[in-house]
């Protein structure tokens, strides 16, 4: 079976037609039997009220944009990401209705947790594929809820939470406890624990407000995947084994290790490996709007982030009052004023960083569950062009950014070569 995939389609405009480069992009995508994308917007006519929070911007688009996704060749998607709840529950359910109406199998979002966690299936002439989708970057209230015997479930995403703690030396721990005592920063939480509303503090650990610290020999940050959420994903993989020939896991995450957006957090690597250990055949990552490493684990690919396929973050036609007040404005101001204020006169933000406009479209072939071939088409989205025309994918002419991908993937044992404008993974 053959696969193609892209990362985030943060789309806020209709496809203008077969622009220069479109045909080559579409032909490459259509090489796959399964052709995946992450839809990073909500789909409705603007009639839904906005959530108090957003994924950074409040994203909304006409559902007809799914016709444009079909023109590129895509046949399966996820919209489980940090923008799923930009327009609250109605925005979520309208988006879900739209992708179902347009016939896109989708996973990761549902009217309850059971629906959001369930695999979606795509039937092709080469076999059947299951898609399981999770998101780790989300507001807690975006998490879908299980149904009980008497209460219906809550719409939301198939969230993947993680445990975070900081290991520090005895010396630092003494200082931290002294600060906490003198500021009473833990006062309310200590009372809640004493009354049974919060779980007890693990032995050898200390909460500073809501951050967990543990005494250790070295100072470091440690993250691990939430076991409840991990077991739910593993159960979905087990279910899909009976119904599908191949199992693909989509993962949306902004979390990082250290100070570079290119570096996936430890729990992300743990999650990807455990999914493959349980039977998944590929992990498709997206979220940080740039490329992250490629790893071949047990002869199966992990794309920690494919970057953006479409990036139109400053093409939003209107926004809720919350968006304006966040930057000291109100909705008497224009969107031009808003984006100018947010970007410090258009000097910071996604639009100012070339790496946010550089991505890849991988194509891979598997036989008997084993990776036989993996290559990718480098693409660029028009960095530096006016917002009226930038954001659409084209085959990249300048391939220098692939050197960055080669460098970041090398520690994972991945060797990448460029041949005739196509990136090729050297399989062992």
């Amino acid at each position: 079976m053959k696969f193609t995939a892209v990362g985030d389609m943060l789309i806020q405009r209709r496809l203008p037609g077969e622009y220069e480069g479109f045909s080559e992009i579409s032909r490459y995508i259509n090489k796959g039997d399964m052709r995946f994308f992450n839809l990073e917007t909500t789909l409705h006519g603007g009639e839904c009220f906005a959530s108090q929070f957003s994924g950074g911007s409040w994203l909304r688009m006409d559902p007809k944009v799914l016709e444009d996704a079909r023109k590129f060749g895509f046949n399966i998607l996820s919209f489980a990401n940090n923008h799923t709840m930009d327009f609250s529950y109605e925005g979520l359910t309208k988006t879900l209705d739209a992708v179902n109406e347009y016939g896109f199998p989708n996973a990761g979002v549902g009217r309850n947790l059971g629906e959001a966690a369930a695999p979606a299936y795509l039937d092709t002439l080469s076999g059947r594929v299951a898609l399981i989708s999770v998101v780790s970057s989300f507001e807690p209230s975006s998490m879908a809820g299980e149904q009980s015997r008497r209460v219906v479930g809550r719409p939301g995403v198939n969230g993947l939470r993680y445990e975070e703690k900081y290991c520090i030396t005895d010396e630092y721990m003494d200082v931290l406890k002294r600060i906490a005592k003198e500021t009473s920063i833990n006062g309310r939480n200590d009372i809640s624990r004493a009354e049974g509303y919060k779980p007890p503090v693990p032995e050898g650990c200390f909460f500073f407000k809501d951050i967990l610290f543990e005494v250790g020999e070295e100072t470091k940050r440690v993250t691990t995947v939430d076991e409840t959420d991990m077991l739910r994903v593993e159960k979905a993989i087990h279910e899909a084994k009976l119904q599908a020939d191949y199992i693909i896991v989509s993962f949306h995450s902004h979390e990082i290790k250290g100070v570079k957006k290119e570096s996936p957090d430890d729990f992300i690597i743990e999650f990807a490996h455990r999914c493959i250990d349980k039977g998944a055949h590929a992990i498709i990552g997206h979220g940080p709007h740039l490329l992250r490493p490629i790893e071949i684990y047990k002869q199966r690919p992990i794309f920690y982030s494919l970057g953006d396929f479409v990036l139109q973050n400053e093409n939003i036609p209107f926004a809720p009052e919350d968006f304006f007040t966040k930057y000291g404005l109100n909705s008497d101001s224009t969107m031009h004023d808003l984006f100018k204020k947010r970007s410090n006169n258009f000097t910071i933000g996604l639009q100012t960083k070339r790496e946010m406009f550089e991505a890849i479209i991988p194509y891979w072939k598997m036989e008997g569950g084993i990776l036989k071939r993996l290559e990718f088409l480098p693409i660029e989205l028009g960095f530096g062009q006016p917002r009226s025309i930038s954001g659409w994918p084209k085959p990249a002419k300048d391939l220098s950014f692939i050197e960055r991908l080669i460098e970041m993937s090398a520690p994972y044992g991945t060797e990448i070569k460029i041949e005739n404008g196509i990136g090729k993974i050297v399989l062992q």
Side-chain angles (χ1 to χ4, degrees), residues 27 35 79 166 180 185 199 218 233 296 310 319 341 354 379 391 415:
R27 281 196 304 270
R35 307 180 291 274
F79 67 99
Y166 292 82
I185 195 169
E218 59 177 323
V233 174
I296 308 301
V310 174
K341 186 71 177 289
R354 181 180 295 274
I379 62 172
E415 184 180 353

Side-chain angles (χ1 to χ4, degrees), residues 339-351:
F339 287 128
K340 183 178 181 179
K341 186 71 177 289
R342 183 173 77 169
S343 65
N344 191 24
N345 198 24
F346 303 112
T347 61
I348 61 174
L350 298 183
Q351 300 288 144

Side-chain angles (χ1 to χ4, degrees), residues 279-306:
H281 295 92
I283 312 296
I284 302 173
H286 36 84
H289 300 292
L290 45 59
L291 287 170
R292 281 181 170 177
I294 299 172
E295 180 181 10
I296 308 301
Y297 177 72
K298 294 186 175 179
Q299 298 178 299
R300 296 177 180 184
I302 301 172
F303 307 101
Y304 285 108
S305 175
L306 293 174

Side-chain angles (χ1 to χ4, degrees), residues 43-45 47-48 89-99:
L43 302 176
H44 51 91
E47 68 277 15
C48 307
Y89 295 108
E90 187 180 13
L92 178 154
T93 55
K94 283 184 176 293
T95 305
L96 187 60
D97 288 342
V99 297

